[in-house]
Amino acid sequence: MKTNDHILQGIKNYLSSDSTDYAVMICGEWSTGKTYFLRHTLRDEVFCKPIERIKEDGEKESIHFQSIYISLAGMKSLEMLETRLRERNKCLLSFQPGKPGHCK
């Protein structure tokens, strides 16, 4: 088992549930590989292929998920974070299923 397999499996479990209305935040010390994990492992294992889940009515569906990456480094106010979230949301709104990837 790789070091981050438990994190990857937890995210896959969350995304396969029928209530994914919340963000996932990955915390860790500086230079521990959080950005690498998002941009490589999660991209390859989650965002470049559909996640299958079972809806409340029992039907299966395949969902493509999109990610955004926001670093809090250098942010000095909540307003700066809100602005960054709005910018990233514009990228998410242009997401096209079948063209997986993530907003930079």
Side-chain angles (χ1 to χ4, degrees):
M1 177 182 271
K2 293 181 186 175
T3 305
N4 293 324
D5 281 351
H6 66 290
I7 299 170
L8 177 61
Q9 190 58 51
I11 291 171
K12 284 181 173 182
N13 290 344
Y14 169 70
L15 293 175
S16 66
S17 75
D18 62 351
S19 57
T20 54
D21 296 340
Y22 303 97
V24 174
M25 181 171 70
I26 299 174
C27 299
E29 295 293 320
W30 185 80
S31 193
T32 56
K34 299 175 300 294
T35 301
Y36 183 89
F37 181 72
L38 171 68
R39 292 187 174 167
H40 297 277
T41 305
L42 284 181
R43 180 197 64 207
D44 297 344
E45 295 293 325
V46 175
F47 301 115
C48 287
K49 51 184 129 178
I51 299 285
E52 192 166 280
R53 66 181 182 183
I54 299 175
K55 301 187 297 186
E56 289 181 18
D57 62 5
E59 293 282 323
K60 286 185 180 180
E61 65 180 343
S62 292
I63 305 274
H64 281 278
F65 286 93
Q66 183 77 334
S67 70
I68 60 171
Y69 168 79
I70 296 175
S71 173
L72 299 180
M75 289 210 186
K76 300 191 183 328
S77 69
L78 184 57
E79 290 77 22
M80 288 176 76
L81 176 59
E82 289 172 345
T83 299
R84 185 73 50 86
L85 284 169
R86 276 191 219 92
E87 291 169 355
R88 297 303 192 266
N89 192 41
K90 288 178 187 175
C91 179
L92 285 178
L93 292 175
S94 67
F95 173 66
Q96 297 176 23
K99 294 185 178 183
H102 66 275
C103 298
K104 298 179 182 185

